[in-house]
Amino acid sequence: MELEGKIVKGIAGFYYVNCLTETGEKLYECRAKGIFRNQGRKPLVGDEVEIKILDQEKKEGSIVSLFPRSCELIRPAVANVDQALVVFAAARPKPNLSLLDRFLVMMDQQSIDTIICFNKKDEASDKEIQRLSDIYSGCKSRVLFVSAKYQEGTEKLEEWLLGHTTTVAGPSGVGKSTLINLLVPDACMQTGAISQKIDRGRHTTRHSELFRIGEDSYLFDTPGFSSLELAGLSKEDLRHSFPEFREHEGRCRFQGCLHLMEPGCSVKEAVEESRISRERYESYALLFQGLQEKEKRRYS
Ligand code: ZN
């Protein structure tokens, strides 16, 4: 018998495939057929697959085919994700905006829209909220302030997540788990179903997992991060990942202006006139410098 499903977790060569059957959702533990390895293809969490049932009682199967992906993220490695949600605290801890900006660049590089969610709005002053809101008003990402603890502002978020597969990221200590538990009330049950199957001394912690939150809606929870390295990006390309700069492209005096030391720069003018957030611009300059140093190290 064959079934279609979605890979929700991958651990040590095993894939956990969630299948919607006539009698409800069922989770199968599967191996991937050797042909994928021969073809240089590796199933990813998020992949839509066809599985062959090997043991109905033990819920074991084998992945026999992979359906085409709509997209593939490299970091984190996940298939068919169409948007990202990045969670930071509005205060306590004070958000590390340089880290947030790096995340935005990383997603932009992979053509993924990002929702910026500032949690713990109950712990931030109106002034702090306004400041964050101003900084990110021109970045093209949707920005939302919520309090997972008091369940404030989360309806809007739920609305934005519906019908999408969203990768969720954020540093630790920002209340990401509280938010996930709110969005996926049966998260523990879904995790439990997998844990039961992998209760064989294999590593179970710190693995990314896909949660079903509704019809065609999934959340991909990834481990917390404290740093992000921009890989495969040249310093000259960095400016294209700052949406605020885009309308200025071609308006600077020099062609290929990097918006740094060049005179007659339309971006710098916009920063001076507060049409582009100074924090975002400084963040760009800092990231540029980081990439430049990295390149120097590579060639020295
Ligand atoms: Zn410029």
Side-chain angles (χ1 to χ4, degrees), residues 252 257-259 265-267:
C252 302
C257 180
L258 297 169
H259 319 313
C265 171
S266 177
V267 166

PDB file of all heavy atoms in Angstrom, residues 252 257-259 265-267, ligand 1:
ATOM      1  N   CYS A 252      22.433  57.633  -7.421  1.00  0.00           N
ATOM      2  CA  CYS A 252      23.664  58.169  -6.835  1.00  0.00           C
ATOM      3  C   CYS A 252      24.551  58.698  -7.972  1.00  0.00           C
ATOM      4  O   CYS A 252      24.390  58.311  -9.120  1.00  0.00           O
ATOM      5  CB  CYS A 252      24.397  57.070  -6.070  1.00  0.00           C
ATOM      6  SG  CYS A 252      23.392  56.333  -4.773  1.00  0.00           S
ATOM      7  N   CYS A 257      27.456  52.661  -6.873  1.00  0.00           N
ATOM      8  CA  CYS A 257      27.715  53.287  -5.562  1.00  0.00           C
ATOM      9  C   CYS A 257      27.381  52.300  -4.446  1.00  0.00           C
ATOM     10  O   CYS A 257      26.330  51.657  -4.450  1.00  0.00           O
ATOM     11  CB  CYS A 257      26.844  54.540  -5.428  1.00  0.00           C
ATOM     12  SG  CYS A 257      27.049  55.408  -3.872  1.00  0.00           S
ATOM     13  N   LEU A 258      28.288  52.170  -3.503  1.00  0.00           N
ATOM     14  CA  LEU A 258      28.066  51.251  -2.374  1.00  0.00           C
ATOM     15  C   LEU A 258      27.425  51.969  -1.192  1.00  0.00           C
ATOM     16  O   LEU A 258      27.231  51.399  -0.133  1.00  0.00           O
ATOM     17  CB  LEU A 258      29.397  50.615  -1.952  1.00  0.00           C
ATOM     18  CG  LEU A 258      30.083  49.733  -3.010  1.00  0.00           C
ATOM     19  CD1 LEU A 258      31.501  49.384  -2.573  1.00  0.00           C
ATOM     20  CD2 LEU A 258      29.274  48.461  -3.262  1.00  0.00           C
ATOM     21  N   HIS A 259      27.129  53.248  -1.378  1.00  0.00           N
ATOM     22  CA  HIS A 259      26.472  54.076  -0.366  1.00  0.00           C
ATOM     23  C   HIS A 259      27.302  54.200   0.912  1.00  0.00           C
ATOM     24  O   HIS A 259      26.764  54.188   2.017  1.00  0.00           O
ATOM     25  CB  HIS A 259      25.071  53.525  -0.024  1.00  0.00           C
ATOM     26  CG  HIS A 259      24.297  53.037  -1.220  1.00  0.00           C
ATOM     27  ND1 HIS A 259      24.190  53.770  -2.380  1.00  0.00           N
ATOM     28  CD2 HIS A 259      23.596  51.890  -1.442  1.00  0.00           C
ATOM     29  CE1 HIS A 259      23.445  53.097  -3.249  1.00  0.00           C
ATOM     30  NE2 HIS A 259      23.082  51.951  -2.712  1.00  0.00           N
ATOM     31  N   CYS A 265      25.756  60.621  -2.832  1.00  0.00           N
ATOM     32  CA  CYS A 265      25.031  59.353  -2.643  1.00  0.00           C
ATOM     33  C   CYS A 265      23.592  59.620  -2.212  1.00  0.00           C
ATOM     34  O   CYS A 265      23.333  60.262  -1.188  1.00  0.00           O
ATOM     35  CB  CYS A 265      25.749  58.498  -1.607  1.00  0.00           C
ATOM     36  SG  CYS A 265      24.806  57.049  -1.134  1.00  0.00           S
ATOM     37  N   SER A 266      22.676  59.105  -2.995  1.00  0.00           N
ATOM     38  CA  SER A 266      21.252  59.323  -2.757  1.00  0.00           C
ATOM     39  C   SER A 266      20.779  58.640  -1.466  1.00  0.00           C
ATOM     40  O   SER A 266      19.901  59.149  -0.760  1.00  0.00           O
ATOM     41  CB  SER A 266      20.469  58.797  -3.967  1.00  0.00           C
ATOM     42  OG  SER A 266      19.105  58.906  -3.778  1.00  0.00           O
ATOM     43  N   VAL A 267      21.390  57.499  -1.146  1.00  0.00           N
ATOM     44  CA  VAL A 267      21.012  56.773   0.078  1.00  0.00           C
ATOM     45  C   VAL A 267      21.417  57.571   1.315  1.00  0.00           C
ATOM     46  O   VAL A 267      20.626  57.765   2.241  1.00  0.00           O
ATOM     47  CB  VAL A 267      21.647  55.358   0.102  1.00  0.00           C
ATOM     48  CG1 VAL A 267      21.559  54.723   1.484  1.00  0.00           C
ATOM     49  CG2 VAL A 267      20.977  54.459  -0.933  1.00  0.00           C
TER      50      VAL A 267
HETATM   51 ZN    ZN B   1      24.898  55.660  -3.023  1.00  0.00          ZN
END
